[in-house]
Amino acid sequence: MTTLALPDTALTAAADLRAIREQWGDLLDAIEQRPADQWPPVDNIREHLQAAEDEPSVGRIPLTLRQHPAPANLDALDTALDVERAIFAACDDVAARYQRSVRFIDSGRRGRYRYEPDPADSDDPNRWTPATQQAAAVFRPGSRRYGLHWAAVWLEARALGEQADDLFTPVGDDTLADLAAVTRTARRRVEQALARAGRRTDLVDPCPWCRGTLLARTVPGGEPSVTCDTGEPCTAPVALDRGRRVWRGADLTELWLALYAARPGG
């Protein structure tokens, strides 16, 4: 059996969708925090540490269905709403073109034919159900009720050609190209709102172990890091990377704690 290579547009869309959903919790958290003057948000150390200890705020209820009385970061909220709408619209489009319609079954009795939608087929968890507006005050969100995270997973599976029985047909090249453009724009907006579109910032606080200058870096779609410019003489309890102490991932939490403790009154 020969496996056909996936188009670059499919792989690009899938990678962007993974990046969006992996950063979605951070974006939802950012809506509730005032924009930081520098990265990392040392001024908001307590909030950052709390977020590091908790599960990501993935969020299931669509933002378009929530109340937002007084968000702390309007730019983050606008970005999240726009990205959510774009991903939902892409799911609706792909489902309309490449998802099989619900089957009908005979539910009649005593020789009478009565065809109705098959409940098992319409409720298939692999199926995307578009939102409907049945009346002025009756809005049914369909699959949108599961939130952006699920929508991104579903859309990634369609881009990669994953199947569930006979529910889907392969997504066409033109649609994949359109989808790649949508997901690339959405990912860029998320990373810009989180100041992760590629940035270098000298932190105000010196290294707690050697008093050297700390440099924070972000790269598009990559892992944020902080580097001490002292080099090997720095005694910080993290690994060396090209001769310098570097904090990434869980190590950043230890750095935040040390920075906070070194501050007056910390």
Side-chain angles (χ1 to χ4, degrees):
M1 178 178 178
T2 302
T3 302
L4 297 177
L6 291 168
D8 289 343
T9 48
L11 299 175
T12 297
D16 288 339
L17 286 163
R18 284 194 294 272
I20 290 168
R21 75 170 191 266
E22 287 168 0
Q23 300 178 88
W24 191 246
D26 292 340
L27 185 59
L28 295 185
D29 286 339
I31 293 172
E32 306 304 325
Q33 299 180 27
R34 67 178 179 82
D37 294 330
Q38 63 172 357
W39 189 97
V42 179
D43 289 340
N44 293 339
I45 189 84
R46 290 188 178 87
E47 290 85 350
H48 186 86
L49 291 174
Q50 184 64 35
E53 294 171 357
D54 295 340
E55 290 295 321
S57 301
V58 172
R60 178 164 173 171
I61 300 174
L63 290 168
T64 51
L65 300 183
R66 300 183 192 180
Q67 296 296 320
H68 304 284
N73 189 331
L74 287 173
D75 288 340
L77 175 60
D78 289 343
T79 295
L81 286 168
D82 289 346
V83 167
E84 188 180 71
R85 292 190 190 101
I87 297 302
F88 286 163
C91 289
D92 289 345
D93 181 62
V94 170
R97 297 186 185 196
Y98 303 101
Q99 180 176 263
R100 175 180 50 73
S101 300
V102 177
R103 294 191 181 99
F104 279 72
I105 58 173
D106 179 14
S107 61
R109 295 181 179 179
R110 297 180 181 178
R112 296 182 179 181
Y113 293 100
R114 182 180 178 183
Y115 289 95
E116 296 179 346
D118 182 356
D121 192 24
S122 62
D123 294 338
D124 186 334
N126 295 298
R127 177 181 290 280
W128 177 266
T129 303
T132 57
Q133 185 79 48
Q134 296 182 339
V138 180
F139 176 77
R140 299 187 182 280
S143 295
R144 297 186 182 199
R145 67 184 181 275
Y146 300 123
L148 178 132
H149 195 271
W150 159 242
V153 170
W154 186 90
L155 205 53
E156 179 185 342
R158 304 290 74 73
L160 296 178
E162 296 179 9
Q163 294 298 321
D165 297 325
D166 65 340
L167 188 54
F168 307 107
T169 56
V171 177
D173 290 342
D174 290 346
T175 302
L176 283 174
D178 292 341
L179 179 59
V182 169
T183 57
R184 176 51 52 92
T185 299
R187 175 178 177 174
R188 186 182 300 116
R189 289 207 59 188
V190 169
E191 292 177 345
Q192 286 175 343
L194 292 171
R196 293 175 181 170
R199 190 171 173 184
R200 296 162 56 95
T201 305
D202 285 338
L203 300 189
V204 174
D205 301 71
C207 175
W209 287 272
C210 71
R211 310 299 293 174
T213 300
L214 295 175
L215 175 65
R217 288 187 176 91
T218 58
V219 294
E223 184 180 36
S225 64
V226 175
T227 302
C228 177
D229 72 353
T230 298
E232 291 191 28
C234 177
T235 58
V238 289
L240 287 168
D241 184 346
R242 288 175 290 182
R244 298 182 185 275
R245 303 292 176 183
V246 180
W247 293 262
R248 296 187 179 91
D251 289 336
L252 286 172
T253 299
E254 297 301 321
L255 175 59
W256 305 152
L257 287 170
L259 287 171
Y260 182 67
R263 286 184 167 188

